[in-house]
Structure formats: C-alpha cells, structure tokens
Amino acid sequence: MANPIDADPNRQRETSAQRDGNAQQRDTPAAFFRGNPAPDARTGMNPIALRRAFADHLHYSRARESMSATPFDRYVALALSARDRLVDRWTKTQHTYYEQDVKRGYYLSAEFLLGRALVANLQALDIYDSFKTVLGELGLDLDELVEQEPDAGLGNGGLGRLAACFLDSMATIGLPTYGYGIRYEFGIFEQVIRDGYQVERADEWLRFGNPWEIERPEHAVPVSFGGYTERVPDKRGGFRVVWRHSEQVIGVPFDTPIAGYQSNTVNTLRLWSARAGEEFDFELFNAGDYVHAVHEKNQSEVISKVLYPNDNFDKGKELRLRQEYFFVACSIADIVNRYNRVHPDFSRFAEKNAIQLNDTHPAIAIAELMRVLIDDHLLAWEDAWKQTVGAFGYTNHTLLPEALERWPVALFERLLPRHLEIIYEINRRFLREVMDAHPQDQDRVARMSLIEEGHERHVRMAHLAVVGSHSVNGVAKLHSELVKRDLLRDFYDLWPERFNNKTNGVTFRRWLLACNPALAALVTEKVGPKWVTEFERLRELERHLEDPEFIERIAAVKRANKVALAKVIGQELDINVDPSSIFDVQIKRLHEYKRQLLNALHIVALYLRQKRGEPVVPRTFIFGAKAAPGYRQAKLIIKFIHAVAYVVNGDRRHSGLRVAFMPNYRVSLAERIIPAADVSEQISTAGMEASGTGNMKLALNGALTVGTLDGANIEIRDAVGPENFFLFGLTADEVIARRSEHFEGRSAVAADPELREVIELISSGFFSPEYRELFQPLLDRLLGRDEYMMLADFKAYSACQREVEAAYADRQSWLRKSALNIARVGEFSSDRTVREYARDIWGLTPVEIDLGAAMSLV
C-alpha cells in the first residue's frame, strides 16, 4: 500500500525533521482544534473526529507530542482510536445477548493465530481509507504504522489460524459466540536461521503491551490442582465428593474485541493468564529467602508463559496438561456463571449453550463440566451427563494416531484426581453400552475404552471427546470419511448419527481484501462490494474471463505483488530473484507428511537438469516453515533446504533457479507471500492432511495448486476444475496398500534414473562437504520404509512439475486458469463453514444488534 503523498512525483519531499515538526503543529489537540467545535473523538467516524481521536490518544494515552512520539506510539494511538469505535458495538452486543437470552456458542481452542488486528479492525469499521487520508495529511504513512504491530503469538499453524478465521466469520454473520484460550506471554518461538539451522528464540509479542485487550481481574477464576478427594454427607442423606486441592492458580481474563465486517456485532475472545494464588510468602521474604518467597508465583505463572512447551520429557508433559486444564477450568466456570445469571437451574443448559472442542486439547472440559454440575451444583449423574453431551461438539483435526492426546494415568491422578474418578465412571457406563451392543467382542471393548491398558496406562482424550459430545466432525470430505472408516470406526459403528463433515474455510476479509487490496479492488469493480460477505458472488467473475483487458489487469496485480515480494526477499535474504520466474510457494508447519523434503528433492533434480544443459523454466522456490523444537528430522530438513539453496543460489553460471527460505513464518509474512504466488504446493502424503487452509488462501489469490488427493485438495480440484489443478501421486488407499506390502524407497530409486542421480548426489556429501554424513538420517528414512511415500511419489511429482512448466509457458492459458481459481473457490469461505456449524451442530441463529436501542447500564 503506497503512501498517497508519494503519488505526486512533483511534490517536494519533507525532511524527517520538517515532517515531525509539521505533524506536531497539525496533531496537537489544542493547536488544531483551537476555535473549532470539538468533534466526537470517541465514536465519530468522519475525518475530523478520526483526526481528533488520533491526536488525543497520542497526547493523553501515550503522553507524547509529535517530536517525541515513536512509530510505536503512533501505532498505539491509532489502535486505541479504532478500539474506541468498537466499544459501543461491543457493549451493546453483549447487552443484547443477555436481553434476548440467546443460545450462545463457545469455541475452545488452545490456539488462536490472529495475526495483526489493526487493518482488519479499520476495515471492519469502514474507516481504513479515511484514516489513511487523515494520517497522510499529518505526514504519516498508515502502512508504516501497521508494521509496528507484532503478530499475536497465540498459535502455531493451521489449527490456530482456522480458529481466527472462525471468530471473524461468527462476528460477521452475527452469531452470539465467544472464543476461549490462553493468553500466552510467549508464542511458539521466533525462528532464526543460523548456518542453515533453525534456532529458537523467545517470541516476546507482549513486550510492549497489547492495545486491543482489556484486562478483567474482577472475573478471575480459581483453578485447583493436586490433592485428593473425599466423600462427605450431603443434606439429602447421601454423599457428595469434595476435592481437597493442594495448590491453586488464579486465571485472569483478558478480553479482545472481534469485530464483524461492517456490522454492529462485536464478539469477545477471552484469553486466560495465570497468576499465583499468593504473590509471595511474606515470612520467607522477611527472613531473606527471596528466591523461595516467590516460588509459588513463578510455578503458577509458568502455565501461561509459552505456547506448547516441549513435551519430550515429563515436566513438559505435566506443564502441557496443566495448561489445558487451566484454560478449560476457567472457561467452563465462566460459561456456567454467565448461564447462572439468568437461569434458575441447569435443565436448559444444553439448550442455551453450545461448546465446541477445537481438537483434543480442550477435551478435559467434558470431565470438568461434569465435576462442576455434580460436585458444585449437586445434579444427579444422569441429568449432568444429558446436559454435557447435549452441549459439547468435537472437531477432529488429525488422522495421525500419535497426534491424538494420551495422558499417563499416574500424571492425571496426581494433578487431577477428581477428574480421573469422573473419567473412570464415564468409562464404566460407556463400556456397559459397548458390551450390550457387542457382547462377545472384548477386543472392541479394549479398543474403545477411555483408558488404554499397557505397561503404562493412559487416558485417551479423543475417546473422551467422542463419548462426551453429541457431534463429531472432520474438516474435509475425505478426512471425515477416513475418521469414520479408520480412525474412529468403532465409535462410528456405535453412533453413526453423531458423525458429520464440516469442510474448513478461510475468511476472505483477511485473505483477499486485506492482504491483496489491488486484486480485491478489481474484484469489487467487476462484481460489486458484496462479495466480501457473500462469497457466492465471486462466481460472477467468470463472465469477464473472455475480456483480455480483465485478464491483463489480473496479471498486472500478480506482477506487482511478485515485485514487492522479490524486494522483501532481497532485503531479508540478499537473494536476487526474477519476478518473471514462477513463484513456487510451500508455506506451512514443517512435518514429514507435508513433504517439504519431496519439494527439495525435486529442486535438486532441476539443478542437475540445468547443469546438463537441459532447458529449465526459471523458478523461484519460496519456503516458510517452523519445525517443532524437539522434532529433529524436521529441523534437519530445514538445514537440507538451506544447503540446497546455498548451492543453487550460488551457481553463477546458471541463474534460472532460486531458493528462498523465509525465516520466522507467521501470519503477516503469509500476507505478503500468498498474493505473489504462482504455484501452491499442497503435496502432503494422501490420507494424512486433515484439510489444509493454505491451499484455499493461495487459490483465492490466483495460485494454481500442485497437489495430491488429500484433505480439501479434493474439493478444491472439484470446484476449480481438474484442468485448473495439477494432480499427482498415490491415493490414500494406495498409500495404505504400499505400506501393507512393506514398500521400501530404494525400490523407487532403482526404477527411476533421475531419482537415483538425486539420491547419489546427496549421499556423496555434495550439499554438506564439511560433514558428508550430515543428511544420511534423511536418506536412511527415505530408502527404508519411506513412511511418507516421498520416493514412491517422486516420479509422478517430477512429471507433474513438467506439466506446470508447459502450462506456464502458455501465458494466456495460465492467466485464465488463475482467474478461474479466484472465481470458483467461494465455497471455501469460513462464512459457509461457520453457517454449517451453526445450523447442524450448535443450533445458533444470527442476532441483530441495534445500536440505536436504549441500553441500561448494569
């Protein structure tokens, strides 16, 4: 986004000192408004009010004048100006929900990968252009202020970004919903690349505070751990269970407004921060033992310090379980308290509350709600269970058995003794139902039990989520079928009515309107502005595909985005890339099944072709990925990609290929890469990617997909047309068959001369001359079991990439395919997905927020 004052080449440029001085004259409240009527700086939407709001916040909220203000001061002043305009809508939204006693939806997720909020909120309020003009008049560039905002470090990958897209869609549609999660002080990590290796640094995204959030200490929740349980007499002549905890942590909520796009709805994301029950032991402090005096504070607050601690050791496992129970306990308490404000008993709890579990991380919520209803509110088991199952829905996000959480029973018993008792009772009653349905099948009983027997007993959290929910959904058609057929087959046989599919989607507000404004403006020109909330209208673009001018304008937008990304790559990596080359993009969490390594092997093959003098279409390969800190194989793949990049980029005799690994992949970086992509690499091993949402974002911005029949790729291919999608590779069933045949990668090498040449070059130490055995662990896994079918699929992948080269050479055909992708992916809007959840699982309906209605203050 260019600064408007840069548009006139004849305009005399101000020096930075002149600019600051002039801005000081213009944005000091007293100077600018002396003798003028004061506009409504809190709620006014006209340029005068916006200018006053910005000046006021700079002066009164940041205690700065323009000469002393930093860019961050100005960003905060702008953010607070936008937040002011959300507050009326926010309070009115919550008041309306209470006033109408609506059914509410609660989205529980360990991750919310929000990205930056400023642009999204300005666009939601329809004041983006106005503020850009106002700031331009003050000599300030809105784009520069946007860069001051750190990405909110609340997620790792697709799971968290999906949750963020859902929040946007829920608010835009007007659904009465809330998000619940953890306010991580440090995100997953900041990725730094040193000598080709990933190095993790703390992601201090809250270092300078967060102007969007509001702390709510008055709604703090105590959370218990440890101790023991005992049975005590109750007033009815029976007994009740009391949990005598040994430690307590306080959960303090921080609320962030989630604005619906150009609507009056502003929902809430409530994130919990852990505080100690006691700040410090005063006696120890007075005695001079300062370290132990704050021991409890440090132990308690570590719970919300970092996203996903490394669980390769026992303390890491314990901390992760503490995290999950902490945010679940806080959230369930909040939900119950809100319900209790207007309802005399729990007979309508499920009728008024829908709680969605985003994967297995929050599955302990089922046991927690049962504990609250039985122990705190004295419901009978049957009544509590009816309300629990009626309220909960469970979304499965993985087909990898190792990714379905399992907690050692011993750890559970030590940290959450009451919950283990409740899980045992749920399991006892559930297994009775299984035995009644299958009297002679003890193997089935063992498979379905919530407790996995063995050398060390484990609690199966996915089983708990299925048993305690009335709905279980996958996130793509293939994924949902594989969940029913393979992963949870026994449960599907017992309760087929519980299982359904909800194919994921992405918010077009973030992933087209905000990140690719030039393309968004062109779409608006052709189909009108309603496409932003009415995704079906994108299809109307097809009417313009025979218009050469329209196609050329799409090409010009793509070219400009590629030039902009090339500049970023040059500045950050010192790599000179050609914007006319194919920008081939693979950006996602690094895991072997996502097969970044297959992509890298193909780059080696192209390099060898180039060295032999064969023609190679110029191509720039762009990677962005973080590997989990304890995932050694993934981190070695990052090193390999950098080793290949070092050789390819450094070969001065052949300049057709470039490899750029963009460090510290995050939402704001994705917003730069996706609009510039020509090719979208969605090459996961078939049957292993639940859905994918990066594939949707890239197609929406005109990238053509190279992909397997995996996850949502299948539905994207059906939508855009097989002729506009580059398909290769084994199917999910073929992958299973190869594994059952004990396929080994060396057989693929023996049958493919090109692949053999690639493997031999790597094995020779060509990419690691200082340590020739460096990449042998990668080769050993490939040549052996080849679990992720990289060598098995290499020949088909290489052939598919030749098709890509041939297609790119036909410029007009390529541009038409790109335009068709944009026009036909409307169904992958998260608005559609959320409407399906609301209709089929949650039973929610949109609520209209009337800002003009009177509101009593409570």
Side-chain angles (χ1 to χ4, degrees):
M1 302 177 190
N3 186 337
I5 60 176
D6 291 339
D8 183 358
N10 298 316
R11 181 184 177 115
Q12 184 176 355
R13 304 286 296 189
E14 295 176 322
T15 67
S16 61
Q18 288 173 328
R19 181 180 63 192
D20 286 345
N22 292 337
Q24 182 184 28
Q25 293 295 320
R26 291 188 291 254
D27 66 7
T28 299
F32 182 73
F33 296 104
R34 188 178 296 116
N36 296 324
D40 186 348
R42 291 290 189 182
T43 60
M45 306 293 276
N46 60 73
I48 294 177
L50 298 179
R51 185 167 177 167
R52 176 62 185 259
F54 177 75
D56 277 2
H57 275 298
L58 192 63
H59 186 74
Y60 294 109
S61 300
R62 299 300 292 176
R64 297 284 195 181
E65 300 294 345
S66 285
M67 289 298 290
S68 61
T70 67
F72 187 78
D73 288 322
R74 291 173 172 138
Y75 153 68
V76 172
L78 179 56
L80 292 175
S81 300
R83 195 185 80 176
D84 285 348
R85 282 146 183 80
L86 294 175
V87 167
D88 278 349
R89 293 165 173 78
W90 197 4
T91 55
K92 184 59 181 177
T93 298
Q94 302 312 309
H95 178 82
T96 302
Y97 294 164
Y98 274 114
E99 187 177 56
Q100 297 184 15
D101 191 21
V102 298
K103 182 174 185 179
R104 306 170 194 241
Y106 298 98
Y107 201 75
L108 272 60
S109 179
E111 298 185 39
F112 288 96
L113 198 56
L114 300 172
R116 293 167 172 166
L118 179 56
V119 171
N121 285 330
L122 292 177
Q123 289 181 334
L125 290 164
D126 198 19
I127 55 174
Y128 178 89
D129 291 335
S130 296
F131 250 129
K132 191 172 182 67
T133 300
V134 165
L135 292 171
E137 292 170 350
L138 296 173
L140 302 174
D141 187 346
L142 174 57
D143 298 333
E144 292 179 3
L145 298 190
V146 168
E147 291 300 314
Q148 294 300 310
E149 181 176 9
D151 283 50
L154 299 168
N156 175 36
L159 182 80
R161 185 53 232 173
L162 179 77
C165 285
F166 277 13
L167 292 182
D168 173 276
S169 288
M170 292 171 196
T172 297
I173 293 168
L175 295 175
T177 52
Y178 302 75
Y180 280 117
I182 300 177
R183 182 180 179 266
Y184 302 103
E185 185 176 340
F186 300 97
I188 181 71
F189 57 81
E190 181 183 344
Q191 181 192 57
V192 177
I193 302 299
R194 293 180 184 162
D195 191 29
Y197 289 97
Q198 171 180 293
V199 177
E200 300 93 22
R201 292 197 313 206
D203 176 19
E204 299 181 75
W205 74 281
L206 285 172
R207 182 185 310 164
F208 300 118
N210 176 10
W212 300 107
E213 66 184 10
I214 295 177
E215 185 176 3
R216 307 283 194 191
E218 70 277 16
H219 295 302
V221 175
V223 179
S224 301
F225 291 98
Y228 61 94
T229 64
E230 64 177 349
R231 284 157 175 76
V232 299
D234 63 19
K235 296 178 181 179
R236 297 172 297 184
F239 68 89
R240 57 187 290 260
V241 177
V242 177
W243 179 13
R244 309 292 189 190
H245 61 266
S246 62
E247 59 177 300
Q248 195 169 75
V249 176
I250 305 300
V252 178
F254 287 75
D255 289 353
T256 299
I258 304 296
Y261 177 77
Q262 296 185 11
S263 75
N264 293 334
T265 299
V266 177
N267 286 332
T268 302
L269 170 62
R270 177 160 284 186
L271 302 174
W272 301 95
S273 181
R275 303 281 172 82
E278 286 188 33
E279 287 296 305
F280 61 88
D281 187 315
F282 197 72
E283 291 185 7
L284 287 175
F285 184 82
N286 281 341
D289 192 349
Y290 305 124
V291 173
H292 288 93
V294 297
H295 176 73
E296 181 183 344
K297 175 180 172 65
N298 294 335
Q299 286 291 100
S300 299
E301 296 183 0
V302 74
I303 289 175
S304 58
K305 281 290 182 185
V306 65
L307 170 67
Y308 289 170
N310 192 340
D311 66 352
N312 291 348
F313 48 92
D314 289 340
K315 286 190 175 181
K317 286 185 173 68
E318 178 178 331
L319 178 54
R320 186 175 292 194
L321 180 55
R322 284 177 178 268
Q323 281 187 337
E324 292 179 4
Y325 176 66
F326 165 75
F327 102 82
V328 158
C330 291
S331 304
I332 292 297
D334 209 46
I335 294 168
V336 169
N337 289 340
R338 188 174 293 114
Y339 174 83
N340 276 342
R341 288 184 64 178
V342 291
H343 297 96
D345 58 45
F346 285 89
S347 61
R348 302 181 66 194
F349 184 82
E351 180 186 335
K352 290 295 182 180
N353 298 284
I355 307 171
Q356 193 69 27
L357 306 174
N358 192 29
D359 218 357
T360 56
H361 309 117
I364 189 61
I366 291 167
E368 173 64 6
L369 181 58
M370 286 295 290
R371 184 194 69 79
V372 170
L373 295 181
I374 294 170
D375 295 354
D376 296 348
H377 296 278
L378 307 181
L379 268 68
W381 180 278
E382 292 77 9
D383 294 336
W385 187 245
K386 177 183 177 181
Q387 299 301 325
T388 296
V389 174
F392 277 105
Y394 163 52
T395 300
N396 174 276
H397 283 279
T398 183
L399 291 166
L400 302 177
E402 65 269 22
L404 297 178
E405 287 188 315
R406 298 155 54 255
W407 295 110
V409 166
L411 175 61
F412 229 97
E413 188 171 30
R414 179 162 55 83
L415 285 185
L416 303 170
R418 178 54 179 150
H419 297 77
L420 185 61
E421 291 178 351
I422 290 171
I423 290 170
Y424 280 154
E425 181 61 16
I426 294 172
N427 198 40
R428 185 187 70 80
R429 293 171 182 247
F430 166 63
L431 292 183
R432 180 71 265 172
E433 186 175 350
V434 175
M435 287 185 281
D436 289 345
H438 304 278
Q440 305 299 324
D441 195 344
Q442 288 302 308
D443 288 342
R444 184 185 295 262
V445 171
R447 291 196 306 267
M448 298 181 74
S449 174
L450 274 59
I451 306 299
E452 180 183 51
E453 305 294 339
H455 175 69
E456 184 179 25
R457 302 171 75 224
H458 287 83
V459 180
R460 293 162 162 162
M461 302 307 289
H463 290 202
L464 175 62
V466 174
V467 173
S469 300
H470 69 278
S471 169
V472 178
N473 72 278
V475 290
K477 288 180 181 177
L478 175 64
H479 171 239
S480 295
E481 289 304 310
L482 293 176
V483 166
K484 294 187 292 187
R485 191 191 76 180
D486 300 328
L487 189 69
L488 298 172
R489 180 174 181 174
D490 293 326
F491 293 92
Y492 176 69
D493 289 344
L494 183 65
W495 296 314
E497 71 283 358
R498 292 192 182 187
F499 287 77
N500 61 93
N501 175 61
K502 298 289 174 282
T503 298
N504 283 342
V506 300
T507 170
F508 291 1
R509 270 82 61 185
R510 169 79 63 166
W511 296 109
L512 182 50
L513 181 66
C515 78
N516 199 346
L519 180 58
L522 180 56
V523 173
T524 298
E525 178 185 321
K526 295 301 180 183
V527 305
K530 291 185 177 180
W531 68 267
V532 181
T533 54
E534 298 175 13
F535 56 84
E536 303 90 343
R537 292 179 180 265
L538 281 182
R539 196 84 187 197
E540 297 174 17
L541 287 173
E542 289 197 50
R543 297 187 318 219
H544 303 279
L545 294 183
E546 304 308 319
D547 179 1
E549 181 188 5
F550 174 66
I551 295 297
E552 285 302 322
R553 289 176 68 187
I554 287 181
V557 169
K558 180 67 73 173
R559 170 77 183 188
N561 290 333
K562 293 173 71 173
V563 169
L565 181 59
K567 183 178 179 181
V568 172
I569 293 172
Q571 290 172 341
E572 295 194 6
L573 301 179
D574 195 24
I575 299 173
N576 182 31
V577 302
D578 179 5
S580 65
S581 66
I582 301 174
F583 275 27
D584 189 315
V585 169
Q586 189 173 18
I587 45 175
K588 53 185 76 248
R589 180 171 55 90
L590 207 145
H591 194 289
E592 288 170 278
Y593 86 80
K594 295 179 184 287
R595 303 204 294 190
Q596 286 94 343
L597 182 55
L598 174 60
N599 191 347
L601 294 176
H602 176 248
I603 296 171
V604 176
L606 288 179
Y607 173 73
L608 288 171
R609 286 186 211 165
Q610 190 174 245
K611 297 296 284 184
R612 289 194 297 269
E614 296 180 22
V616 173
V617 175
R619 196 182 307 211
T620 299
F621 294 91
I622 300 165
F623 293 88
K626 290 181 179 179
Y631 193 172
R632 293 184 180 180
Q633 201 76 357
K635 296 175 83 168
L636 187 57
I637 291 171
I638 290 177
K639 172 61 177 175
F640 178 68
I641 292 171
H642 279 89
V644 172
Y646 179 79
V647 171
V648 170
N649 297 340
D651 192 334
R652 299 183 181 276
R653 290 169 295 180
H654 301 91
S655 58
L657 302 178
R658 287 289 180 267
V659 182
F661 189 103
M662 304 296 289
N664 201 35
Y665 180 59
R666 58 201 184 277
V667 173
S668 58
L669 183 56
E671 290 170 337
R672 291 184 170 190
I673 295 173
I674 287 172
D678 293 309
V679 171
S680 165
E681 297 279 352
Q682 308 298 329
I683 59 177
S684 53
T685 310
M688 302 197 74
E689 184 74 87
S691 172
T693 52
N695 46 9
M696 302 168 188
K697 298 163 193 168
L698 284 152
L700 178 64
N701 283 271
L704 273 59
T705 304
V706 173
T708 54
L709 288 176
D710 195 31
N713 281 358
I714 299 170
E715 292 158 78
I716 291 176
R717 182 172 180 263
D718 289 342
V720 304
E723 69 280 7
N724 303 308
F725 185 107
F726 297 99
L727 177 67
F728 79 97
L730 301 170
T731 66
D733 287 340
E734 289 169 340
V735 168
I736 293 172
R738 290 287 182 101
R739 287 174 178 161
S740 67
E741 296 164 2
H742 304 292
F743 172 82
E744 290 190 347
R746 54 179 50 90
S747 63
V749 173
D752 184 355
E754 181 178 54
L755 177 57
R756 182 166 60 251
E757 187 180 21
V758 169
I759 296 299
E760 287 175 352
L761 186 68
I762 299 168
S763 182
S764 72
F766 179 80
F767 294 104
S768 53
E770 303 85 0
Y771 178 31
R772 294 180 177 274
E773 302 297 314
L774 178 61
F775 301 120
Q776 196 59 43
L778 297 180
L779 296 178
D780 289 344
R781 287 171 74 95
L782 292 172
L783 295 170
R785 186 181 174 194
D786 191 20
E787 180 178 0
Y788 302 103
M789 298 292 142
M790 287 188 239
L791 300 190
D793 268 348
F794 179 85
K795 188 171 185 178
Y797 181 60
S798 180
C800 181
Q801 293 289 4
R802 289 182 184 271
E803 293 177 22
V804 171
E805 293 176 349
Y808 193 76
D810 186 343
R811 182 175 181 276
Q812 291 304 310
S813 175
W814 182 277
L815 292 175
R816 193 173 190 280
K817 290 175 184 290
S818 175
L820 277 167
N821 269 261
I822 299 167
R824 293 178 176 177
V825 295
E827 66 188 80
F828 299 102
S829 165
S830 51
D831 293 358
R832 184 267 312 155
T833 311
V834 164
R835 284 195 179 101
E836 291 178 1
Y837 273 97
R839 181 193 67 210
D840 301 337
I841 300 175
W842 302 335
L844 299 182
T845 55
V847 176
E848 184 175 347
I849 307 300
D850 181 5
L851 293 181
M855 182 177 70
S856 61
L857 297 178
V858 179

